[in-house]
Amino acid sequence: MACYNRLIKYVHSFTRLLFLAVFGLQLFGVAGADVRKDVQEVLTSFSRDKLAEFRSADVRVEITDDFGKLAEWEDRLVRFQVGRTLGSFRPVGTVIFPMEVYDRSEKVDAFSVKANVSVFQDIAVASRNIAKGEKVGSTDFQMTTLDV
C-alpha cells in the first residue's frame, strides 16, 4: 500500500510539473515558438513609432532575409529589440534593421534583419481622366488604399 501511495504522489507531482512547464511557456511566450513573428512585431512597432506622421496608416513589415540568425533563437526565452539607429532613420521601403537579443536584461547577441516596410493609407485618386483646366468635383475622385 505504501508503494502504491508513493506512486500516486509521484504521478501527481510529475503531472503538476508538466502542466506548469507547458502553461509557463505559453504564459511567458518562448520566442522560439515563432521567432520570425516576434521580430516582425518588434519591427512593426518600431516603424510605427518612427513614422509618427502616419499614425492612422497601416504599417506592414515583411522580413525578407534574417541572414540565418533567427533560427538560432528558436525555443529560447529571449527578447528582441531594434538596436541603435541614427536619429534621421526612416524605416520605409527595403530596410536593414540592427537587432539586439536580450536574455533577461543582458544583451547576448546582435544581428541584422532585412525587411520591406510598407505604409498603406487611404488616398483620394481620380476616378477618370481629368483634362487640364477642367473643373472637378467630389464625384471625380475615389478613395483607394495605396502604399505611400
Short mmCIF file of all heavy atoms in Angstrom, two decimals, residues 33-102:
data_model
loop_
_atom_site.label_atom_id
_atom_site.label_comp_id
_atom_site.label_asym_id
_atom_site.label_seq_id
_atom_site.Cartn_x
_atom_site.Cartn_y
_atom_site.Cartn_z
N ALA A 33 8.82 29.97 -30.21
CA ALA A 33 7.53 29.46 -30.67
C ALA A 33 7.28 29.99 -32.08
O ALA A 33 6.77 29.28 -32.93
CB ALA A 33 6.43 29.87 -29.72
N ASP A 34 7.62 31.22 -32.32
CA ASP A 34 7.56 31.80 -33.66
C ASP A 34 8.44 33.05 -33.65
O ASP A 34 7.97 34.17 -33.56
CB ASP A 34 6.14 32.13 -34.06
CG ASP A 34 6.01 32.40 -35.55
OD1 ASP A 34 7.06 32.53 -36.21
OD2 ASP A 34 4.88 32.49 -36.04
N VAL A 35 9.74 32.81 -33.70
CA VAL A 35 10.74 33.89 -33.62
C VAL A 35 10.50 34.93 -34.69
O VAL A 35 10.53 36.13 -34.43
CB VAL A 35 12.16 33.32 -33.74
CG1 VAL A 35 13.19 34.43 -33.79
CG2 VAL A 35 12.46 32.38 -32.60
N ARG A 36 10.22 34.49 -35.90
CA ARG A 36 10.01 35.41 -37.02
C ARG A 36 8.86 36.35 -36.72
O ARG A 36 8.95 37.55 -36.97
CB ARG A 36 9.75 34.59 -38.29
CG ARG A 36 9.85 35.37 -39.55
CD ARG A 36 9.71 34.41 -40.75
NE ARG A 36 10.27 34.97 -41.94
CZ ARG A 36 11.54 35.00 -42.25
NH1 ARG A 36 12.42 34.47 -41.44
NH2 ARG A 36 11.97 35.57 -43.36
N LYS A 37 7.78 35.82 -36.17
CA LYS A 37 6.61 36.64 -35.83
C LYS A 37 6.96 37.64 -34.72
O LYS A 37 6.56 38.81 -34.78
CB LYS A 37 5.45 35.75 -35.40
CG LYS A 37 4.19 36.50 -35.10
CD LYS A 37 3.08 35.57 -34.68
CE LYS A 37 1.86 36.36 -34.26
NZ LYS A 37 0.85 35.50 -33.63
N ASP A 38 7.70 37.19 -33.71
CA ASP A 38 8.11 38.09 -32.62
C ASP A 38 8.94 39.25 -33.14
O ASP A 38 8.71 40.41 -32.79
CB ASP A 38 8.92 37.33 -31.56
CG ASP A 38 8.08 36.33 -30.78
OD1 ASP A 38 6.84 36.43 -30.86
OD2 ASP A 38 8.66 35.46 -30.13
N VAL A 39 9.91 38.95 -33.99
CA VAL A 39 10.78 40.00 -34.55
C VAL A 39 9.96 40.92 -35.45
O VAL A 39 10.13 42.14 -35.42
CB VAL A 39 11.97 39.38 -35.31
CG1 VAL A 39 12.74 40.43 -36.09
CG2 VAL A 39 12.89 38.66 -34.34
N GLN A 40 9.04 40.35 -36.21
CA GLN A 40 8.20 41.15 -37.10
C GLN A 40 7.34 42.13 -36.28
O GLN A 40 7.19 43.29 -36.66
CB GLN A 40 7.31 40.23 -37.93
CG GLN A 40 6.63 40.92 -39.07
CD GLN A 40 6.05 39.93 -40.07
OE1 GLN A 40 6.43 38.76 -40.11
NE2 GLN A 40 5.14 40.39 -40.87
N GLU A 41 6.82 41.69 -35.15
CA GLU A 41 6.04 42.58 -34.28
C GLU A 41 6.90 43.70 -33.71
O GLU A 41 6.47 44.85 -33.64
CB GLU A 41 5.38 41.78 -33.16
CG GLU A 41 4.23 40.91 -33.63
CD GLU A 41 3.69 40.00 -32.54
OE1 GLU A 41 4.16 40.07 -31.38
OE2 GLU A 41 2.78 39.22 -32.86
N VAL A 42 8.13 43.39 -33.33
CA VAL A 42 9.05 44.41 -32.81
C VAL A 42 9.35 45.44 -33.90
O VAL A 42 9.33 46.65 -33.66
CB VAL A 42 10.36 43.76 -32.29
CG1 VAL A 42 11.43 44.80 -32.03
CG2 VAL A 42 10.08 42.94 -31.04
N LEU A 43 9.62 44.95 -35.11
CA LEU A 43 9.92 45.86 -36.23
C LEU A 43 8.72 46.72 -36.60
O LEU A 43 8.88 47.91 -36.89
CB LEU A 43 10.38 45.06 -37.45
CG LEU A 43 11.69 44.28 -37.30
CD1 LEU A 43 11.99 43.49 -38.56
CD2 LEU A 43 12.83 45.21 -36.96
N THR A 44 7.53 46.15 -36.57
CA THR A 44 6.32 46.91 -36.89
C THR A 44 6.09 48.01 -35.86
O THR A 44 5.81 49.16 -36.21
CB THR A 44 5.09 45.97 -36.96
OG1 THR A 44 5.33 44.99 -37.97
CG2 THR A 44 3.84 46.74 -37.31
N SER A 45 6.22 47.67 -34.59
CA SER A 45 6.04 48.66 -33.52
C SER A 45 7.08 49.78 -33.64
O SER A 45 6.75 50.97 -33.53
CB SER A 45 6.16 47.97 -32.17
OG SER A 45 6.08 48.90 -31.12
N PHE A 46 8.32 49.41 -33.88
CA PHE A 46 9.40 50.39 -34.04
C PHE A 46 9.11 51.31 -35.22
O PHE A 46 9.26 52.53 -35.13
CB PHE A 46 10.74 49.67 -34.24
CG PHE A 46 11.89 50.59 -34.52
CD1 PHE A 46 12.55 51.22 -33.47
CD2 PHE A 46 12.32 50.82 -35.81
CE1 PHE A 46 13.62 52.08 -33.72
CE2 PHE A 46 13.38 51.66 -36.07
CZ PHE A 46 14.03 52.30 -35.02
N SER A 47 8.69 50.73 -36.35
CA SER A 47 8.41 51.51 -37.56
C SER A 47 7.26 52.48 -37.33
O SER A 47 7.31 53.63 -37.77
CB SER A 47 8.10 50.58 -38.73
OG SER A 47 9.22 49.78 -39.02
N ARG A 48 6.21 52.04 -36.64
CA ARG A 48 5.08 52.93 -36.33
C ARG A 48 5.54 54.12 -35.49
O ARG A 48 5.11 55.24 -35.71
CB ARG A 48 3.99 52.17 -35.59
CG ARG A 48 3.11 51.37 -36.50
CD ARG A 48 1.84 50.91 -35.80
NE ARG A 48 1.07 50.11 -36.72
CZ ARG A 48 0.88 48.81 -36.61
NH1 ARG A 48 1.41 48.15 -35.59
NH2 ARG A 48 0.19 48.16 -37.50
N ASP A 49 6.39 53.85 -34.52
CA ASP A 49 6.89 54.94 -33.67
C ASP A 49 7.74 55.93 -34.46
O ASP A 49 7.65 57.14 -34.25
CB ASP A 49 7.72 54.37 -32.50
CG ASP A 49 6.86 53.65 -31.48
OD1 ASP A 49 5.62 53.82 -31.51
OD2 ASP A 49 7.42 52.90 -30.67
N LYS A 50 8.56 55.42 -35.37
CA LYS A 50 9.44 56.29 -36.16
C LYS A 50 8.67 57.08 -37.22
O LYS A 50 9.10 58.15 -37.63
CB LYS A 50 10.53 55.47 -36.86
CG LYS A 50 11.68 55.12 -35.97
CD LYS A 50 12.48 56.35 -35.65
CE LYS A 50 13.81 56.01 -35.07
NZ LYS A 50 14.59 57.20 -34.78
N LEU A 51 7.55 56.55 -37.68
CA LEU A 51 6.76 57.20 -38.73
C LEU A 51 5.53 57.85 -38.10
O LEU A 51 4.39 57.54 -38.45
CB LEU A 51 6.35 56.17 -39.79
CG LEU A 51 7.50 55.45 -40.49
CD1 LEU A 51 7.00 54.29 -41.32
CD2 LEU A 51 8.30 56.43 -41.34
N ALA A 52 5.77 58.77 -37.19
CA ALA A 52 4.68 59.41 -36.43
C ALA A 52 3.67 60.10 -37.32
O ALA A 52 2.48 60.16 -36.98
CB ALA A 52 5.27 60.40 -35.42
N GLU A 53 4.08 60.63 -38.46
CA GLU A 53 3.16 61.33 -39.35
C GLU A 53 2.15 60.38 -40.01
O GLU A 53 1.18 60.82 -40.60
CB GLU A 53 3.91 62.14 -40.42
CG GLU A 53 4.66 61.31 -41.44
CD GLU A 53 6.09 60.94 -41.02
OE1 GLU A 53 6.40 60.95 -39.82
OE2 GLU A 53 6.89 60.65 -41.92
N PHE A 54 2.39 59.07 -39.90
CA PHE A 54 1.48 58.08 -40.48
C PHE A 54 0.75 57.29 -39.38
O PHE A 54 0.51 56.11 -39.53
CB PHE A 54 2.25 57.12 -41.39
CG PHE A 54 2.83 57.78 -42.60
CD1 PHE A 54 4.20 57.94 -42.73
CD2 PHE A 54 2.01 58.24 -43.61
CE1 PHE A 54 4.74 58.53 -43.86
CE2 PHE A 54 2.54 58.84 -44.74
CZ PHE A 54 3.91 58.99 -44.87
N ARG A 55 0.39 57.94 -38.29
CA ARG A 55 -0.27 57.26 -37.17
C ARG A 55 -1.54 56.52 -37.60
O ARG A 55 -1.81 55.44 -37.12
CB ARG A 55 -0.64 58.26 -36.07
CG ARG A 55 0.54 58.75 -35.30
CD ARG A 55 0.82 57.85 -34.12
NE ARG A 55 1.92 58.43 -33.37
CZ ARG A 55 2.97 57.76 -32.99
NH1 ARG A 55 3.08 56.50 -33.27
NH2 ARG A 55 3.93 58.35 -32.32
N SER A 56 -2.31 57.11 -38.53
CA SER A 56 -3.56 56.48 -38.95
C SER A 56 -3.35 55.46 -40.06
O SER A 56 -4.29 54.79 -40.48
CB SER A 56 -4.56 57.55 -39.40
OG SER A 56 -4.04 58.23 -40.54
N ALA A 57 -2.14 55.34 -40.54
CA ALA A 57 -1.85 54.43 -41.66
C ALA A 57 -1.65 53.00 -41.15
O ALA A 57 -1.43 52.75 -39.97
CB ALA A 57 -0.60 54.89 -42.40
N ASP A 58 -1.71 52.06 -42.08
CA ASP A 58 -1.48 50.65 -41.80
C ASP A 58 -0.03 50.35 -42.16
O ASP A 58 0.32 50.28 -43.34
CB ASP A 58 -2.45 49.81 -42.64
CG ASP A 58 -2.26 48.32 -42.43
OD1 ASP A 58 -1.64 47.92 -41.44
OD2 ASP A 58 -2.75 47.56 -43.29
N VAL A 59 0.82 50.21 -41.14
CA VAL A 59 2.25 49.93 -41.37
C VAL A 59 2.44 48.41 -41.35
O VAL A 59 2.06 47.74 -40.39
CB VAL A 59 3.13 50.59 -40.29
CG1 VAL A 59 4.60 50.22 -40.50
CG2 VAL A 59 2.94 52.09 -40.29
N ARG A 60 3.03 47.89 -42.43
CA ARG A 60 3.25 46.45 -42.54
C ARG A 60 4.74 46.18 -42.76
O ARG A 60 5.38 46.86 -43.56
CB ARG A 60 2.47 45.86 -43.71
CG ARG A 60 0.97 46.01 -43.57
CD ARG A 60 0.25 45.43 -44.75
NE ARG A 60 -1.12 45.91 -44.80
CZ ARG A 60 -1.92 45.76 -45.84
NH1 ARG A 60 -1.48 45.13 -46.91
NH2 ARG A 60 -3.14 46.24 -45.81
N VAL A 61 5.24 45.18 -42.05
CA VAL A 61 6.65 44.81 -42.17
C VAL A 61 6.72 43.33 -42.57
O VAL A 61 6.08 42.49 -41.95
CB VAL A 61 7.40 45.03 -40.85
CG1 VAL A 61 8.84 44.55 -40.96
CG2 VAL A 61 7.35 46.48 -40.44
N GLU A 62 7.49 43.06 -43.60
CA GLU A 62 7.70 41.69 -44.05
C GLU A 62 9.19 41.41 -44.05
O GLU A 62 9.96 42.07 -44.76
CB GLU A 62 7.13 41.50 -45.45
CG GLU A 62 7.34 40.11 -46.01
CD GLU A 62 6.96 39.98 -47.47
OE1 GLU A 62 6.34 40.90 -48.02
OE2 GLU A 62 7.33 38.95 -48.06
N ILE A 63 9.62 40.45 -43.24
CA ILE A 63 11.03 40.09 -43.18
C ILE A 63 11.40 39.34 -44.45
O ILE A 63 10.76 38.35 -44.81
CB ILE A 63 11.33 39.23 -41.94
CG1 ILE A 63 11.04 40.02 -40.66
CG2 ILE A 63 12.77 38.71 -41.97
CD1 ILE A 63 11.14 39.21 -39.40
N THR A 64 12.42 39.82 -45.15
CA THR A 64 12.83 39.19 -46.40
C THR A 64 14.11 38.37 -46.24
O THR A 64 14.34 37.44 -46.99
CB THR A 64 13.04 40.23 -47.52
OG1 THR A 64 13.98 41.20 -47.08
CG2 THR A 64 11.72 40.90 -47.87
N ASP A 65 14.94 38.71 -45.24
CA ASP A 65 16.17 37.96 -45.01
C ASP A 65 16.64 38.18 -43.57
O ASP A 65 16.78 39.31 -43.13
CB ASP A 65 17.27 38.42 -45.99
CG ASP A 65 18.44 37.45 -46.05
OD1 ASP A 65 18.45 36.46 -45.29
OD2 ASP A 65 19.34 37.69 -46.87
N ASP A 66 16.85 37.08 -42.87
CA ASP A 66 17.36 37.19 -41.50
C ASP A 66 18.81 36.74 -41.42
O ASP A 66 19.37 36.64 -40.34
CB ASP A 66 16.49 36.38 -40.53
CG ASP A 66 16.48 34.89 -40.84
OD1 ASP A 66 17.35 34.42 -41.60
OD2 ASP A 66 15.59 34.20 -40.34
N PHE A 67 19.41 36.47 -42.58
CA PHE A 67 20.81 36.05 -42.67
C PHE A 67 21.10 34.83 -41.80
O PHE A 67 22.19 34.66 -41.28
CB PHE A 67 21.74 37.22 -42.33
CG PHE A 67 21.46 38.45 -43.14
CD1 PHE A 67 20.79 39.53 -42.58
CD2 PHE A 67 21.82 38.52 -44.48
CE1 PHE A 67 20.51 40.66 -43.33
CE2 PHE A 67 21.54 39.65 -45.24
CZ PHE A 67 20.88 40.72 -44.67
N GLY A 68 20.07 33.99 -41.61
CA GLY A 68 20.22 32.74 -40.86
C GLY A 68 20.29 32.88 -39.36
O GLY A 68 20.56 31.91 -38.66
N LYS A 69 20.04 34.06 -38.83
CA LYS A 69 20.21 34.29 -37.39
C LYS A 69 18.98 33.94 -36.55
O LYS A 69 19.10 33.58 -35.39
CB LYS A 69 20.59 35.74 -37.12
CG LYS A 69 21.96 36.12 -37.62
CD LYS A 69 23.05 35.36 -36.90
CE LYS A 69 23.34 35.95 -35.55
NZ LYS A 69 24.47 35.36 -34.85
N LEU A 70 17.77 34.05 -37.11
CA LEU A 70 16.57 33.82 -36.30
C LEU A 70 16.46 32.36 -35.84
O LEU A 70 15.98 32.10 -34.75
CB LEU A 70 15.31 34.24 -37.06
CG LEU A 70 15.16 35.73 -37.31
CD1 LEU A 70 13.85 36.02 -38.01
CD2 LEU A 70 15.25 36.52 -36.01
N ALA A 71 16.93 31.45 -36.66
CA ALA A 71 16.85 30.02 -36.30
C ALA A 71 17.65 29.72 -35.03
O ALA A 71 17.30 28.80 -34.29
CB ALA A 71 17.35 29.17 -37.46
N GLU A 72 18.68 30.50 -34.76
CA GLU A 72 19.50 30.28 -33.56
C GLU A 72 18.72 30.51 -32.27
O GLU A 72 19.09 30.00 -31.23
CB GLU A 72 20.71 31.22 -33.56
CG GLU A 72 21.71 30.94 -34.66
CD GLU A 72 22.87 31.92 -34.62
OE1 GLU A 72 23.13 32.52 -33.56
OE2 GLU A 72 23.51 32.09 -35.67
N TRP A 73 17.63 31.30 -32.36
CA TRP A 73 16.91 31.69 -31.14
C TRP A 73 15.59 30.94 -30.95
O TRP A 73 14.83 31.24 -30.05
CB TRP A 73 16.68 33.20 -31.15
CG TRP A 73 17.99 33.88 -31.17
CD1 TRP A 73 18.58 34.50 -32.23
CD2 TRP A 73 18.94 33.94 -30.10
NE1 TRP A 73 19.84 34.95 -31.88
CE2 TRP A 73 20.07 34.61 -30.58
CE3 TRP A 73 18.94 33.47 -28.79
CZ2 TRP A 73 21.19 34.84 -29.79
CZ3 TRP A 73 20.05 33.71 -28.01
CH2 TRP A 73 21.16 34.39 -28.51
N GLU A 74 15.34 29.95 -31.78
CA GLU A 74 14.14 29.15 -31.61
C GLU A 74 14.22 28.41 -30.29
O GLU A 74 15.28 27.98 -29.86
CB GLU A 74 13.98 28.16 -32.77
CG GLU A 74 13.62 28.84 -34.07
CD GLU A 74 13.48 27.87 -35.22
OE1 GLU A 74 13.56 26.66 -35.01
OE2 GLU A 74 13.28 28.35 -36.34
N ASP A 75 13.06 28.28 -29.64
CA ASP A 75 12.93 27.55 -28.36
C ASP A 75 13.79 28.14 -27.24
O ASP A 75 14.20 27.41 -26.34
CB ASP A 75 13.26 26.07 -28.56
CG ASP A 75 12.34 25.43 -29.58
OD1 ASP A 75 11.17 25.82 -29.64
OD2 ASP A 75 12.81 24.56 -30.32
N ARG A 76 14.05 29.44 -27.29
CA ARG A 76 14.77 30.11 -26.21
C ARG A 76 13.94 31.27 -25.73
O ARG A 76 13.30 31.96 -26.52
CB ARG A 76 16.13 30.61 -26.71
CG ARG A 76 16.96 29.50 -27.29
CD ARG A 76 18.36 29.30 -26.83
NE ARG A 76 19.01 30.20 -25.95
CZ ARG A 76 20.16 30.79 -26.23
NH1 ARG A 76 20.72 30.64 -27.40
NH2 ARG A 76 20.74 31.55 -25.35
N LEU A 77 13.93 31.50 -24.46
CA LEU A 77 13.17 32.59 -23.87
C LEU A 77 14.01 33.86 -23.88
O LEU A 77 14.79 34.12 -22.97
CB LEU A 77 12.77 32.22 -22.43
CG LEU A 77 11.77 33.13 -21.74
CD1 LEU A 77 10.47 33.18 -22.53
CD2 LEU A 77 11.49 32.63 -20.35
N VAL A 78 13.89 34.62 -24.97
CA VAL A 78 14.68 35.84 -25.16
C VAL A 78 13.76 36.96 -25.63
O VAL A 78 12.62 36.73 -26.01
CB VAL A 78 15.82 35.64 -26.19
CG1 VAL A 78 16.87 34.69 -25.67
CG2 VAL A 78 15.28 35.19 -27.53
N ARG A 79 14.30 38.17 -25.60
CA ARG A 79 13.56 39.35 -26.03
C ARG A 79 14.34 40.02 -27.15
O ARG A 79 15.56 40.15 -27.06
CB ARG A 79 13.40 40.30 -24.84
CG ARG A 79 12.67 41.58 -25.13
CD ARG A 79 12.49 42.41 -23.86
NE ARG A 79 13.72 42.72 -23.16
CZ ARG A 79 14.50 43.77 -23.43
NH1 ARG A 79 14.18 44.60 -24.37
NH2 ARG A 79 15.60 43.97 -22.73
N PHE A 80 13.63 40.46 -28.18
CA PHE A 80 14.26 41.14 -29.30
C PHE A 80 13.98 42.63 -29.22
O PHE A 80 12.92 43.04 -28.76
CB PHE A 80 13.73 40.60 -30.64
CG PHE A 80 14.07 39.17 -30.86
CD1 PHE A 80 13.18 38.17 -30.56
CD2 PHE A 80 15.31 38.82 -31.38
CE1 PHE A 80 13.49 36.84 -30.76
CE2 PHE A 80 15.64 37.50 -31.59
CZ PHE A 80 14.72 36.51 -31.27
N GLN A 81 14.94 43.41 -29.71
CA GLN A 81 14.80 44.86 -29.71
C GLN A 81 15.59 45.42 -30.88
O GLN A 81 16.62 44.88 -31.25
CB GLN A 81 15.37 45.39 -28.38
CG GLN A 81 15.41 46.87 -28.26
CD GLN A 81 15.95 47.25 -26.88
OE1 GLN A 81 15.52 46.73 -25.87
NE2 GLN A 81 16.91 48.16 -26.86
N VAL A 82 15.06 46.50 -31.49
CA VAL A 82 15.80 47.15 -32.56
C VAL A 82 16.99 47.86 -31.92
O VAL A 82 16.85 48.54 -30.90
CB VAL A 82 14.92 48.14 -33.34
CG1 VAL A 82 15.73 48.89 -34.37
CG2 VAL A 82 13.77 47.40 -34.01
N GLY A 83 18.15 47.68 -32.51
CA GLY A 83 19.36 48.29 -31.99
C GLY A 83 19.41 49.79 -32.24
O GLY A 83 18.45 50.41 -32.69
N ARG A 84 20.55 50.35 -32.00
CA ARG A 84 20.74 51.80 -32.13
C ARG A 84 20.69 52.22 -33.60
O ARG A 84 21.33 51.60 -34.46
CB ARG A 84 22.09 52.16 -31.53
CG ARG A 84 22.28 53.61 -31.31
CD ARG A 84 23.45 53.84 -30.41
NE ARG A 84 23.53 55.27 -30.18
CZ ARG A 84 24.62 55.89 -29.85
NH1 ARG A 84 25.73 55.21 -29.70
NH2 ARG A 84 24.60 57.18 -29.66
N THR A 85 19.93 53.27 -33.87
CA THR A 85 19.84 53.82 -35.23
C THR A 85 20.10 55.31 -35.17
O THR A 85 20.03 55.93 -34.10
CB THR A 85 18.44 53.59 -35.83
OG1 THR A 85 17.46 54.24 -35.02
CG2 THR A 85 18.10 52.12 -35.95
N LEU A 86 20.37 55.90 -36.32
CA LEU A 86 20.55 57.34 -36.38
C LEU A 86 19.22 58.03 -36.14
O LEU A 86 18.16 57.47 -36.42
CB LEU A 86 21.10 57.75 -37.75
CG LEU A 86 22.48 57.22 -38.11
CD1 LEU A 86 22.83 57.58 -39.54
CD2 LEU A 86 23.52 57.79 -37.15
N GLY A 87 19.25 59.25 -35.64
CA GLY A 87 18.03 60.00 -35.37
C GLY A 87 17.19 60.22 -36.61
O GLY A 87 15.97 60.29 -36.54
N SER A 88 17.81 60.28 -37.77
CA SER A 88 17.09 60.53 -39.02
C SER A 88 16.62 59.24 -39.70
O SER A 88 16.08 59.28 -40.80
CB SER A 88 17.97 61.32 -39.97
OG SER A 88 19.15 60.57 -40.26
N PHE A 89 16.82 58.11 -39.06
CA PHE A 89 16.47 56.81 -39.64
C PHE A 89 14.96 56.73 -39.88
O PHE A 89 14.16 56.93 -38.97
CB PHE A 89 16.90 55.69 -38.67
CG PHE A 89 16.59 54.31 -39.15
CD1 PHE A 89 17.31 53.74 -40.19
CD2 PHE A 89 15.59 53.57 -38.54
CE1 PHE A 89 17.04 52.44 -40.60
CE2 PHE A 89 15.31 52.28 -38.96
CZ PHE A 89 16.05 51.71 -39.99
N ARG A 90 14.56 56.49 -41.14
CA ARG A 90 13.14 56.36 -41.51
C ARG A 90 12.93 54.99 -42.14
O ARG A 90 13.35 54.76 -43.27
CB ARG A 90 12.72 57.46 -42.48
CG ARG A 90 12.66 58.82 -41.82
CD ARG A 90 12.15 59.90 -42.74
NE ARG A 90 10.98 59.56 -43.52
CZ ARG A 90 9.72 59.63 -43.09
NH1 ARG A 90 9.47 60.02 -41.87
NH2 ARG A 90 8.71 59.33 -43.88
N PRO A 91 12.26 54.10 -41.43
CA PRO A 91 12.06 52.75 -41.95
C PRO A 91 10.95 52.68 -43.00
O PRO A 91 9.78 52.44 -42.69
CB PRO A 91 11.69 51.95 -40.70
CG PRO A 91 11.07 52.96 -39.80
CD PRO A 91 11.74 54.26 -40.09
N VAL A 92 11.30 52.95 -44.25
CA VAL A 92 10.34 52.88 -45.36
C VAL A 92 11.03 52.17 -46.53
O VAL A 92 12.19 52.45 -46.82
CB VAL A 92 9.88 54.29 -45.79
CG1 VAL A 92 8.93 54.21 -46.98
CG2 VAL A 92 9.20 55.01 -44.64
N GLY A 93 10.31 51.27 -47.20
CA GLY A 93 10.88 50.53 -48.32
C GLY A 93 11.70 49.36 -47.81
O GLY A 93 11.38 48.75 -46.79
N THR A 94 12.77 49.03 -48.51
CA THR A 94 13.65 47.94 -48.09
C THR A 94 14.64 48.49 -47.07
O THR A 94 15.36 49.44 -47.34
CB THR A 94 14.40 47.35 -49.29
OG1 THR A 94 13.44 46.88 -50.23
CG2 THR A 94 15.30 46.21 -48.87
N VAL A 95 14.63 47.90 -45.89
CA VAL A 95 15.43 48.41 -44.77
C VAL A 95 16.20 47.27 -44.12
O VAL A 95 15.70 46.15 -44.02
CB VAL A 95 14.50 49.05 -43.70
CG1 VAL A 95 15.30 49.61 -42.55
CG2 VAL A 95 13.62 50.12 -44.30
N ILE A 96 17.41 47.55 -43.68
CA ILE A 96 18.17 46.60 -42.87
C ILE A 96 18.16 47.13 -41.44
O ILE A 96 18.69 48.21 -41.17
CB ILE A 96 19.60 46.39 -43.40
CG1 ILE A 96 19.54 45.79 -44.80
CG2 ILE A 96 20.39 45.50 -42.45
CD1 ILE A 96 20.87 45.57 -45.45
N PHE A 97 17.50 46.39 -40.56
CA PHE A 97 17.36 46.79 -39.16
C PHE A 97 18.45 46.15 -38.31
O PHE A 97 18.70 44.95 -38.42
CB PHE A 97 16.02 46.32 -38.60
CG PHE A 97 14.82 47.03 -39.13
CD1 PHE A 97 14.12 46.53 -40.21
CD2 PHE A 97 14.37 48.19 -38.52
CE1 PHE A 97 12.99 47.17 -40.69
CE2 PHE A 97 13.24 48.84 -38.99
CZ PHE A 97 12.56 48.34 -40.08
N PRO A 98 19.09 46.93 -37.43
CA PRO A 98 20.00 46.32 -36.45
C PRO A 98 19.16 45.73 -35.32
O PRO A 98 18.30 46.40 -34.76
CB PRO A 98 20.83 47.51 -35.96
CG PRO A 98 19.92 48.70 -36.14
CD PRO A 98 19.05 48.38 -37.32
N MET A 99 19.36 44.47 -35.02
CA MET A 99 18.59 43.81 -33.97
C MET A 99 19.50 43.41 -32.81
O MET A 99 20.67 43.11 -33.02
CB MET A 99 17.91 42.54 -34.51
CG MET A 99 16.89 42.77 -35.59
SD MET A 99 15.50 43.80 -35.08
CE MET A 99 14.80 42.83 -33.75
N GLU A 100 18.92 43.45 -31.61
CA GLU A 100 19.64 43.00 -30.42
C GLU A 100 18.80 41.95 -29.72
O GLU A 100 17.57 42.02 -29.73
CB GLU A 100 19.88 44.19 -29.47
CG GLU A 100 20.79 45.24 -30.07
CD GLU A 100 20.96 46.47 -29.18
OE1 GLU A 100 20.17 46.65 -28.24
OE2 GLU A 100 21.87 47.25 -29.46
N VAL A 101 19.47 40.97 -29.12
CA VAL A 101 18.80 39.89 -28.41
C VAL A 101 19.17 40.00 -26.94
O VAL A 101 20.35 40.13 -26.60
CB VAL A 101 19.23 38.51 -28.95
CG1 VAL A 101 18.47 37.40 -28.25
CG2 VAL A 101 19.02 38.44 -30.45
N TYR A 102 18.16 39.96 -26.08
CA TYR A 102 18.37 40.06 -24.63
C TYR A 102 17.85 38.82 -23.93
O TYR A 102 16.76 38.34 -24.22
CB TYR A 102 17.67 41.29 -24.07
CG TYR A 102 18.33 42.58 -24.47
CD1 TYR A 102 18.01 43.20 -25.67
CD2 TYR A 102 19.29 43.17 -23.65
CE1 TYR A 102 18.63 44.38 -26.06
CE2 TYR A 102 19.91 44.35 -24.03
CZ TYR A 102 19.57 44.94 -25.23
OH TYR A 102 20.19 46.11 -25.61
#
